[in-house]
C-alpha cells in the first residue's frame, strides 16, 4: 500500500516533468465522509465486488494534488499505474485506510492532512508543499490480487519468458549455423578450447577474459579493448571475481569451461538480469552471449 511515510510517495513527489491532468478533483463541494481514524474521502464511483485485504496487491491509477486542485503528478498522464501491496495504516488519516474500502472499479477522492503526513518531521517536507494543508488523491482501483494470484501470475510470466528465450537462442544458433549443447537450466554453450580439464566450482575465484554481446551483435562489455571502440588504446586486463558473486548464468556457465580453455555461453534472460535493465546497453529480458576464456582458477 502507498504509505505516505514510504519512499513511494517521495518518488511520486520528485518525478520530473509533472503534468496537469484534466480529471476532476474531489467532485466539488460534496460533503466528505470521515473514517474512524480521521481520513476524509468521497466515493466518486461505487462498483460492486469484494474490497482489498491487508497483503493484497493493488493496481490503481492516481492523480496526486497539493491541497485539492493543484496537480503534482498523474499516472494517467505517465501511463504507469501504481502496483503495491496493501499495508496497515501507518498513522491516523493514512490513505491506506481508504484503499481498504475500495473494490475493483471504485473511484474515490482522499484528503490527508499535511500535519499528520509529516508529523514529527516537518523539516523533511519538500519546499513545494510549504503552505499546503492537504495532500489529496483521486484513485481509480484497477485490480486487486491475492498473494496467491500474484505468485501464479509471476510463475506464468516466467514460464512464458523461458520459452521465449529458448526460441530466440535456437533461432540465433540455426541462423548462424552453430551447434551448441544445452544445460538443464537452459544455457546453451560451445567449447572452442578444451583447456586442461580442471573445472571451477561456485566456491572458486576465477580469472577470465570475456566479451558480452546481445543477439543483434551489439557488444555491451568486454575485458578486451579491441572489442569495444570506447576502450581502444587501453591495456586489456583480465577480470578476477568469485563465482558466487555473479549472475546465475555465469555461476553455471563458466564451470562448463576448464582452466586454459574457452567457449561461448548463450544465457537466457532469466539466468542473467531478467526484467531489469542494468544499463542502457542491456534492455530488459535480454538473452546474453559471452565469449569467455578461463585463464585461472583459485
Amino acid at each position: 500500500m502507498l504509505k505516505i511515510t514510504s519512499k513511494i510517495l517521495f518518488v511520486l513527489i520528485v518525478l520530473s516533468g509533472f503534468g496537469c491532468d484534466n480529471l476532476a478533483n474531489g467532485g466539488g463541494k460534496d460533503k466528505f465522509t470521515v473514517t474512524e481514524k480521521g481520513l476524509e474521502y468521497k466515493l466518486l464511483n461505487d462498483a460492486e465486488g469484494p474490497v482489498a485485504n491487508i497483503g493484497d496487491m493493488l493496481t490503481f491509477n492516481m492523480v496526486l494534488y497539493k491541497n485539492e486542485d493543484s496537480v503534482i503528478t498523474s499516472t494517467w498522464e505517465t501511463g504507469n499505474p501504481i502496483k503495491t501491496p496493501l499495508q496497515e495504516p501507518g498513522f491516523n488519516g493514512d490513505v491506506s485506510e481508504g484503499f481498504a474500502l475500495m473494490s475493483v472499479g471504485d473511484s474515490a477522492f482522499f484528503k490527508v492532512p499535511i500535519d499528520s503526513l509529516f508529523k514529527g518531521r516537518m523539516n523533511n517536507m519538500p519546499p513545494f508543499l510549504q503552505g499546503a494543508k492537504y495532500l489529496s488523491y483521486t484513485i481509480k482501483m484497477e485490480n486487486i490480487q491475492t498473494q496467491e494470484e500474484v505468485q501464479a501470475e509471476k510463475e506464468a510470466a516466467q514460464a512464458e519468458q523461458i520459452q521465449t528465450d529458448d526460441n530466440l537462442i535456437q533461432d540465433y544458433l540455426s541462423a548462424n549455423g552453430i551447434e551448441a549443447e544445452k544445460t538443464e537450466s537452459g544455457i546453451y554453450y560451445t567449447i572452442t578450447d578444451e583447456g586442461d580439464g580442471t573445472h571451477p566450482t561456485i566456491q572458486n575465484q576465477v580469472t577470465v577474459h570475456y566479451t558480452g554481446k546481445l543477439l543483434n551483435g551489439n557488444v555491451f562489455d568486454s575485458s578486451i579493448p579491441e572489442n569495444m571502440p570506447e576502450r581502444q588504446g587501453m591495456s586489456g586486463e583480465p577480470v578476477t571475481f568469485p563465482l558466487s558473486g555473479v549472475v546465475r548464468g555465469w555461476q553455471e556457465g563458466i564451470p562448463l569451461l576448464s582452466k586454459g580453455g574457452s567457449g561461448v555461453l548463450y544465457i537466457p534472460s532469466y539466468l542473467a538480469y531478467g526484467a531489469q535493465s542494468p544499463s542502457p546497453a542491456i534492455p530488459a529480458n535480454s538473452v546474453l552471449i559471452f565469449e569467455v576464456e578461463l585463464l585461472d582458477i583459485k
Side-chain angles (χ1 to χ4, degrees):
M1 158 42 274
L2 186 66
K3 281 193 176 182
I4 302 309
T5 56
S6 74
K7 65 181 181 181
I8 297 174
L9 171 66
F10 293 99
V11 169
L12 292 169
I13 289 177
V14 301
L15 280 174
S16 60
F18 291 145
C20 290
D21 196 290
N22 291 324
L23 294 172
N25 64 12
K29 298 181 179 179
D30 297 340
K31 185 177 179 181
F32 281 88
T33 300
V34 182
T35 67
E36 290 183 3
K37 294 186 177 181
L39 177 67
E40 297 183 63
Y41 74 96
K42 298 177 188 178
L43 194 60
L44 307 178
N45 180 64
D46 189 5
E48 295 183 358
V51 298
N53 295 307
I54 300 300
D56 286 350
M57 184 64 69
L58 310 181
T59 302
F60 55 89
N61 275 298
M62 176 186 75
V63 184
L64 182 66
Y65 308 88
K66 175 182 177 180
N67 293 321
E68 295 184 35
D69 52 12
S70 180
V71 175
I72 297 173
T73 189
S74 166
T75 62
W76 275 283
E77 183 174 299
T78 64
N80 296 309
I82 294 169
K83 191 168 186 176
T84 186
L86 178 60
Q87 298 177 8
E88 294 283 358
F91 57 89
N92 288 342
D94 191 337
V95 71
S96 60
E97 184 185 4
F99 287 174
L101 303 174
M102 302 181 74
S103 58
V104 176
D106 281 351
S107 297
F109 184 78
F110 300 100
K111 291 170 59 177
V112 178
I114 289 291
D115 57 1
S116 295
L117 185 59
F118 292 97
K119 185 177 181 180
R121 52 190 184 89
M122 295 299 287
N123 291 337
N124 295 334
M125 184 190 303
F128 68 86
L129 285 181
Q130 294 295 329
K133 294 183 177 180
Y134 294 93
L135 199 63
S136 304
Y137 310 77
T138 297
I139 302 293
K140 169 68 183 303
M141 189 62 66
E142 306 291 356
N143 199 14
I144 299 172
Q145 297 170 287
T146 65
Q147 289 301 312
E148 292 76 15
E149 290 171 334
V150 171
Q151 184 61 30
E153 183 180 84
K154 180 180 179 180
E155 290 174 357
Q158 288 176 337
E160 182 178 357
Q161 189 62 52
I162 287 172
Q163 189 59 58
T164 296
D165 289 350
D166 196 72
N167 292 341
L168 288 171
I169 294 174
Q170 289 194 42
D171 289 346
Y172 178 89
L173 296 174
S174 177
N176 290 277
I178 300 170
E179 294 186 7
E181 300 292 327
K182 182 184 179 182
T183 68
E184 185 176 347
S185 65
I187 298 172
Y188 287 79
Y189 68 99
T190 61
I191 302 299
T192 54
D193 189 329
E194 292 292 344
D196 71 0
T198 306
H199 295 268
T201 70
I202 192 68
Q203 286 78 32
N204 288 131
Q205 180 172 275
V206 297
T207 300
V208 305
H209 265 308
Y210 72 94
T211 295
K213 60 183 179 180
L214 305 179
L215 290 175
N216 62 11
N218 289 346
V219 174
F220 57 82
D221 195 14
S222 180
S223 62
I224 304 170
E226 290 77 10
N227 291 338
M228 295 192 74
E230 61 268 34
R231 297 183 183 176
Q232 295 295 318
M234 298 174 63
S235 61
E237 298 294 332
V239 179
T240 300
F241 53 87
L243 270 178
S244 60
V246 293
V247 296
R248 185 180 165 193
W250 270 30
Q251 290 178 353
E252 297 183 13
I254 289 180
L256 298 170
L257 311 176
S258 65
K259 185 176 178 179
S262 60
V264 183
L265 308 176
Y266 304 88
I267 300 176
S269 66
Y270 57 91
L271 297 179
Y273 297 105
Q276 298 179 342
S277 176
S279 76
I282 304 177
N285 296 316
S286 291
V287 171
L288 306 181
I289 302 173
F290 286 99
E291 300 168 358
V292 182
E293 181 183 4
L294 179 55
L295 302 175
D296 197 12
I297 303 170
K298 296 181 180 179

